[in-house]
Amino acid sequence: MKPGHSSRHQQRSGFTLLEMIVNIGLLLVVMLVVASIAGHTSETVHSNSGKLAAAEKTETVRHALMKDLGAIVRLDSGGSELACTASDDLWKLELRVPGGSGWQQIGYAWSKATGSLTRSSTVNGKQVETVIGTGITGLVATWLESITHDPATAARQWSNGAAPPLAVRVELETTRGREEGKRDGIRELHEKSSNSVFFLPVGGGGDINL
């Protein structure tokens, strides 16, 4: 074998500069495509997780209020079965329902500053407070006197001594994040909020399908 032929063969077995540039370019394109797909997938998962967290918060609040409001007994005297005070930043609800051998006082309190909705009640002579929901950035309740009552003209406060309304319309705004362990304040989450509206009967007001 001639020495010159072997040398030319070794030179041709490597990559030329142009081939290396083309290969690197293709590799970069593939990496960009993979990164784009991964980013889109991560964004979708994050968005769905946030929506699920908001839905869970709403359902927890709805279930707690439905149970207590449904237990109200409508007395002929009107009495103090229900009292509510509300503003854009604060919401308090006081209920009197049958419990144990007498009456039980139940209270709900929400503050926009903390974003938490708490429930207080007396159990075995002791006051017990439970956090019902966190990350609640808005809560508006309008009390309906009839099925056809226009929520736009319904009361946001219900005075002591007035007979309980038939139903309540609750507008809830929640963050799309989980604040467990951070209940003293809402985390500064740069995320969209979720809004929901639901109707609940008060004291056996009947099925509310609005």
Side-chain angles (χ1 to χ4, degrees), residues 55-77:
E56 289 176 350
K57 295 175 186 179
T58 299
E59 180 57 25
T60 300
V61 172
R62 190 192 71 83
H63 180 76
L65 287 174
M66 179 177 65
K67 180 180 178 181
D68 288 332
L69 288 171
I72 289 179
V73 177
R74 296 172 178 274
L75 302 176
D76 295 337
S77 60

Side-chain angles (χ1 to χ4, degrees), residues 101-208:
S101 58
W103 294 93
Q104 183 180 21
Q105 292 292 135
I106 296 175
Y108 283 86
W110 168 79
S111 167
K112 191 168 187 176
T114 63
S116 296
L117 176 67
T118 59
R119 177 186 185 273
S120 60
S121 61
T122 303
V123 178
N124 295 327
K126 295 182 179 181
Q127 190 77 6
V128 177
E129 186 173 281
T130 306
V131 176
I132 299 298
T134 59
I136 300 173
T137 54
L139 194 162
V140 177
T142 49
W143 303 94
L144 309 178
E145 297 177 0
S146 67
I147 292 292
T148 58
H149 194 167
D150 183 0
T153 62
R156 290 184 60 182
Q157 301 192 32
W158 202 261
S159 302
N160 247 335
L166 176 72
V168 60
R169 177 183 186 270
V170 181
E171 299 175 60
L172 206 64
E173 180 183 274
T174 63
T175 60
R176 294 186 181 183
R178 302 181 186 279
E179 294 79 15
E180 286 78 357
K182 302 179 183 296
R183 291 171 176 167
D184 292 334
I186 302 174
R187 285 190 303 178
E188 293 296 331
L189 299 174
H190 299 288
E191 304 196 36
K192 294 180 180 179
S193 296
S194 287
N195 297 280
S196 60
V197 177
F198 53 88
F199 293 80
L200 298 174
V202 176
D207 292 334
I208 306 300

Side-chain angles (χ1 to χ4, degrees), residues 29-105:
V29 170
V30 172
M31 290 176 65
L32 288 174
V33 171
V34 171
S36 177
I37 294 174
H40 179 71
T41 301
S42 176
E43 183 179 347
T44 300
V45 171
H46 185 68
S47 176
N48 289 339
S49 176
K51 291 178 181 178
L52 178 60
E56 289 176 350
K57 295 175 186 179
T58 299
E59 180 57 25
T60 300
V61 172
R62 190 192 71 83
H63 180 76
L65 287 174
M66 179 177 65
K67 180 180 178 181
D68 288 332
L69 288 171
I72 289 179
V73 177
R74 296 172 178 274
L75 302 176
D76 295 337
S77 60
S80 57
E81 293 85 7
L82 172 70
C84 178
T85 56
S87 68
D88 291 337
D89 300 323
L90 296 170
W91 188 76
K92 291 186 177 181
L93 178 67
E94 295 180 0
L95 309 172
R96 189 177 72 152
V97 300
S101 58
W103 294 93
Q104 183 180 21
Q105 292 292 135

